[in-house]
Amino acid sequence: TGVIFAVNYSYLSFEDVGGRIIELNADIGDNVRKGEVLAVLNKRKYQLGVKDAEAQLKGAEAAIVRTKANYEREKVLFKQQVSFKRRLETREFQYKAAVSEEAAAKAALGLAERNLRNTELKSPYDGFVGERFVQPNEQATRGTRIFRIDEEGELEIQFDVPESLRKRLKLGSEGIVELSGQSGAGVDCKISFLGTAASMGNAFPAKALLMNPAVSVKPGMTAEIAFLLPVETASSGFLI
């Protein structure tokens, strides 16, 4: 027995931010579009972070103007021999320090703005919600899974192959997928991945791409998969 998956899917989480979820705009099975906002965290802390970073940058920019003017004036005085080299070097150091502080303040503002943007969780592509892991008003820490988004398009079945049969399969081997609870013709498939390391029970993970599945076939469905194999024993095929 195997399980149907979208070939391309993503587990979505909030990047580098956490907090209380104030909006959940999608549920299992919902169609979503690329860029659609699926969940939102409480933004207040991150909005205040942006404001604080903006104030820090304004202060750094003012320091640039002040220390540059002092440095330029000191260069003139030194050239006129009415100032000392040590005083000139001090003004130069203060100006360069202000330049460094401005660069750091710009970086801090950029980070604060990115964190604020990241309070909105968006779909990476057109598809539908395969799983939802949280409820409204839950606390989401950084990296907590919120959704699994399945991209529209190709489907595959993921299954395990017994060790005794692993060597008789190869990439491109053809089979038939029979969906649980559905009558009628099965779906053709071709093996697209064969694992090289056994998992539990000495079985090897494998994947097979579904060829032209019906629109009723959805990720999460269970199915049986059968392959025709080169005759090595009395049996020429097997069912998983």
Side-chain angles (χ1 to χ4, degrees), residues 132-151:
R132 195 187 84 181
F133 302 98
V134 296
Q135 299 297 326
N137 294 311
E138 279 191 25
Q139 287 291 129
T141 57
R142 180 175 56 188
T144 299
R145 285 182 175 179
I146 309 299
F147 294 104
R148 190 193 81 226
I149 303 300
D150 298 325
E151 186 178 21

Side-chain angles (χ1 to χ4, degrees), residues 165-198:
L165 297 172
R166 167 64 178 81
K167 65 181 180 180
R168 300 177 62 190
L169 289 174
K170 62 182 180 180
L171 293 178
S173 292
E174 297 181 355
I176 297 290
V177 173
E178 297 285 351
L179 294 165
S180 301
Q182 294 193 18
S183 59
V187 180
D188 292 337
C189 68
K190 289 184 179 181
I191 289 185
S192 56
F193 168 80
L194 282 171
T196 57

Side-chain angles (χ1 to χ4, degrees), residues 3 10 13 24 53 61 74 87 117 119-120 125 170 235:
V3 179
S10 297
S13 59
L24 274 177
E61 290 172 341
E74 204 64 40
R87 187 176 179 87
R117 290 194 300 270
T119 58
E120 295 186 351
Y125 34 61
K170 62 182 180 180
S235 174

Side-chain angles (χ1 to χ4, degrees), residues 31-38 122-127 149 151:
N31 289 319
V32 295
R33 294 299 174 194
K34 181 178 180 179
E36 182 178 344
V37 177
L38 305 180
K122 298 180 180 180
S123 177
Y125 34 61
D126 293 347
I149 303 300
E151 186 178 21

